[in-house]
Each structure stands twice: as C-alpha cells, then as structure tokens.
C-alpha cells in the first residue's frame, strides 16, 4: 500500500491539552470542512482547509460540545467516546461506542492492585449516544431557522434495543476491549426522511464474523424513533472480514468502504474492504451475510498508529486518521499528520 501524501491537522491549544489530537476516533469530509472526533471528550471538532480539492492542511479548529444541542445520557463533561461521524443532508450524525470499560493496569501497580483493577468494569452509560445534529452555517444547532432539529435516540441508546438479541445481548456488559459491544462506525445515507443508518461494530466478532446494524431513525418531537425495517426496529448483516472488527465506514458511490482491524487491544492487521451496493440496499433485500472485496492494507505500528477513521476526499482518495499516532506524525505542538491513500 502506497501513501500518496500526508495532510496536516492543526488543533487549538485546548484540544492539545485534552489530548484530542492523539485520540482521533472518527472523521468525515464535508466540502471545505473536516468533522472529526476524539474518543475521550463529549465534543465534535470542525477543521477547515483552503483547497477542498487538494487539501494539504486543515486548521481553524472549532470545538462544539454535544450537550449544547442534545440531551446526553451522562453529564455534559462525561466522555461520550464518539467513534463514528456521518454527514447526510442538513445533519451531522454521531455515535458513541456504547461500550463498557475495564480499568487499565499501569507499570507501577502492585500485583494485587493490578488484579483488583482487572476485576473492575464500569458500564459507561455516557457512551450510549446515537444522535443527529442539525447544522446551520456549518455550526451545530438545537434547531435551524428552516426547522431542522437535533435529536438523540434516548438515554439507553442501543442497549434496550439489543437486550434480547440472540447474538449481541450476551456481549452488552462485556468491555469493548474484551470483544464486548463496541460501536465504531456510522454511515447515514438516503434522502432526509428516508435515510438509513449503518452502524459498524468493532465487537463482538462472532467466530470471525463482524456485525453491521441497519436502522431507520426518524425524528419525533426532539427524539429519534426507529421505523420498522422488515417488521423489526433493526436488521443485522454479518461481514467476513477475516476475523477483524469494524473500525469505520464511509460511502463510495453505491458501495460502502469498511475499515477493519482487531476487535481487541492488538496491533494490526488493518485493511479496507469494499461492500458492493450496500449504500443502496433495499430493505427487502437485506441479507444476513454480505460478500466483500479486500481493497488495501493500511500501515500500523507497534503500540501506535492505529487507523481509526476513513473519509473520502473529492479527489477520490481516502483520508486516514490514527489514534495513538507515531512520533513522526507529531510535527509540532497541535499538529498531527493524517495519510492520503489512493483507492
């Protein structure tokens, strides 16, 4: 795989202080703007470039707290762990990981303390977010002058929906890093009022099969409700990604590109797959298994350079952002390098 060039993403001092620039988890291009998220905040970030056709740098960073436009399941400053962003019509869509969390072990911990921390799991309800954000002049708003309204799925997110699911219910309270439920990609596609959301799961991976949830969310009095799809409020599609989980997705024509990597806390492999025709999939044609084609391999480091987000540039190339970027990506304070990869 050849990286065509690097693109500089420049963040404000506040974002650097909170380590947003080294915890990138989601990205979406939008004309001159780049919408991006870090996985340890409750905000979305907007960067701007001067040449959308051939960007070399995105800057003019502005951070937008989600709590300003929607009700969050946690406190305003609690981590939402935004893992997916999609732009569709007048709306920006965001999804939190919904994952539980096991405490980390650090090198200075005693054996007893390490064992105690490994036994500690928190549910992290603040991460149970699925929301559409109304945009006015490229700024999130509760309601726009045209009447577009921000809305969230509700305080339980997907948990209530999946509580009795034969495949996913056993994984709801298992931490994401342990192959538990972990939502890490969203694509919303279709005309407003007829759109469909595709949620890609990093975990669980079921005997090598990754999972995509299909939803048809509609706004009703400030909340998202799920329209029935083939008689149910969601459908599942299983993807053979060679044992990998889904890290992100984006639309490419009528297809979806799927970024795949290990479901657990491991380095590589990291690949991009093509799911033909997925973006125009008719509800009556939803199948339980989909055939994919491997498109390319992405680089990964050892303990760093974890590809977490992909977005399509106007040139038809793929922009890739990394969590835990390697030192060579951190050129100067506040700037981190993303890769541009030809498809």
């Amino acid at each position: 795989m050849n990286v065509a060039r690097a693109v500089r993403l420049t963040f404000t001092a506040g974002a650097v202080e909170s380590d947003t620039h080294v915890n990138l988890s989601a990205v979406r291009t939008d004309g001159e703007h780049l919408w991006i998220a870090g996985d340890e905040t409750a905000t979305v970030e907007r960067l701007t470039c001067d040449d959308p056709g051939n960007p070399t740098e995105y800057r003019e960073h502005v951070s937008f707290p989600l709590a300003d436009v929607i009700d969050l399941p946690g406190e305003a400053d609690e981590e939402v762990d935004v893992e997916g962003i999609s732009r569709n019509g007048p709306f920006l869509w965001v999804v939190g990981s919904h994952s539980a969390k096991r405490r980390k072990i650090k090198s200075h911990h005693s054996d007893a303390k390490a064992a105690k921390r490994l036994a500690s799991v928190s549910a992290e309800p603040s991460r149970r977010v699925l929301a559409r954000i109304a945009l006015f002049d490229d700024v999130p708003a509760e309601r726009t002058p045209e009447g577009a309204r921000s809305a969230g799925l509700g305080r339980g997110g997907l948990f209530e929906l999946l509580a009795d699911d034969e495949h996913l219910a056993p994984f709801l309270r298992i931490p994401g890093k342990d192959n538990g439920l972990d939502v890490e990609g969203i694509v919303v596609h279709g005309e407003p009022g007829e759109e469909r959301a595709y949620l890609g799961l990093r975990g669980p991976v079921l005997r090598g099969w990754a999972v995509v949830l299909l939803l048809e969310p509609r706004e009703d009095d400030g909340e998202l409700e799920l329209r029935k799809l083939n008689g149910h409020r969601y459908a599942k599609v299983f993807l053979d990604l060679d044992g990998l989980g889904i890290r992100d997705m984006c639309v490419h024509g009528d297809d979806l590109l799927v970024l795949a990597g290990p479901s657990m806390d491991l380095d590589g492999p990291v690949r991009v797959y093509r799911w033909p025709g997925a973006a125009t999939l008719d509800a009556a044609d939803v199948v339980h298994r989909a055939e994919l084609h491997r498109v390319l391999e992405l680089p990964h480091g050892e303990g760093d350079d974890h590809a977490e987000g992909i977005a399509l540039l106007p040139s038809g190339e793929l922009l890739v952002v990394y969590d835990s970027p390697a030192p060579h990506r951190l050129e100067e304070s506040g700037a981190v390098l993303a890769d541009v990869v030809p498809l």
Side-chain angles (χ1 to χ4, degrees):
M1 190 279 301
N2 295 319
V3 174
R5 62 186 185 281
V7 172
R8 181 179 292 105
L9 312 179
T10 301
F11 293 84
T12 62
V16 174
E17 203 171 296
S18 60
D19 286 336
T20 298
H21 69 311
V22 295
N23 288 291
L24 301 182
S25 57
V27 64
R28 197 62 71 234
T29 51
D30 183 18
E32 66 179 337
H33 297 308
L34 189 71
W35 293 99
I36 205 159
D39 61 11
E40 296 189 0
T41 69
T43 61
V44 291
E45 323 300 323
R46 192 194 71 197
L47 304 177
T48 304
C49 72
D50 57 3
D51 183 5
N54 187 32
T56 58
E57 181 176 14
Y58 287 90
R59 51 189 315 147
E60 299 178 30
H61 172 220
V62 185
S63 184
F64 299 102
L66 293 173
D68 287 355
V69 294
I70 58 168
D71 291 329
L72 293 175
E75 299 299 321
D77 59 348
E78 285 187 306
E79 171 193 311
V80 170
D81 194 19
V82 174
E83 291 285 355
I85 296 179
S86 185
R87 175 70 193 266
N88 192 59
F91 299 107
L92 191 72
W93 293 76
V94 298
V95 66
S97 68
H98 286 70
S99 64
K101 182 171 71 175
R102 191 180 302 278
R103 300 192 73 181
K104 291 181 180 180
I105 296 177
K106 298 183 179 179
S107 59
H108 64 274
H109 290 152
S110 67
D111 289 354
K113 186 168 186 177
K116 185 175 182 180
R117 289 175 75 89
L118 283 178
S120 177
V121 174
S122 54
E124 303 294 307
S126 62
R127 299 176 172 188
R128 299 173 190 175
V129 173
L130 172 62
R132 71 169 206 188
I133 309 300
L135 297 177
F136 179 64
D137 285 343
D138 298 311
V139 173
E142 263 190 287
R143 189 192 291 265
T144 71
E146 292 79 18
R149 186 172 182 175
S150 294
L153 183 58
R155 301 187 69 82
L158 301 172
F159 262 60
E160 182 180 326
L161 189 66
L162 300 176
D164 297 319
D165 186 89
E166 62 181 337
H167 297 103
L168 302 177
F171 296 90
L172 295 185
R173 289 173 174 78
I174 297 174
K177 297 297 189 293
D178 296 353
N179 199 40
L181 180 74
D182 191 356
V183 183
E184 288 221 0
I186 182 171
V187 164
V188 179
H189 189 65
E191 294 297 321
E194 294 296 326
E195 61 268 80
R196 178 176 298 156
Y198 301 70
L199 302 184
L201 307 188
R202 175 175 175 174
V205 172
L206 306 175
R207 200 173 177 88
W209 292 83
V211 184
V212 174
L213 299 177
L214 276 60
L215 315 172
E216 294 193 345
R218 303 290 183 264
E219 188 268 332
D220 182 20
D221 196 26
E223 285 201 356
L224 293 179
E225 303 287 343
L226 297 179
R227 188 171 73 174
K228 286 194 174 180
L229 191 156
N230 287 353
H232 304 279
R233 289 194 294 160
Y234 67 98
K236 289 173 292 192
V237 181
F238 299 98
L239 307 184
D240 184 0
L241 303 176
D242 302 309
L244 302 175
I246 297 168
R247 296 295 185 91
D248 199 10
M249 301 184 295
C250 71
V251 175
H252 188 212
D254 291 340
D255 305 339
L256 291 187
L257 297 177
V258 180
L259 175 66
S263 64
M264 302 178 75
D265 195 13
L266 301 169
D267 295 320
V270 183
R271 298 169 180 149
V272 175
Y273 294 79
R274 182 180 299 278
W275 181 2
T280 56
L281 193 65
D282 187 90
D285 296 329
V286 171
V287 295
H288 286 303
R289 292 187 295 172
E291 297 295 328
L292 287 88
H293 310 300
R294 191 188 301 183
V295 177
L296 52 85
E297 301 268 346
L298 291 176
H300 64 84
E302 294 186 10
D304 58 23
D305 260 5
H306 300 140
E308 286 282 336
I310 56 173
L312 199 65
L313 293 168
S315 62
E317 298 167 301
L318 207 59
L319 180 71
V320 184
V321 300
Y322 296 86
D323 187 11
S324 303
H328 75 268
R329 296 189 184 278
L330 302 171
E331 285 193 325
E332 57 194 53
S333 179
V336 61
L337 296 180
D339 285 339
V340 175
V341 180
L343 285 170

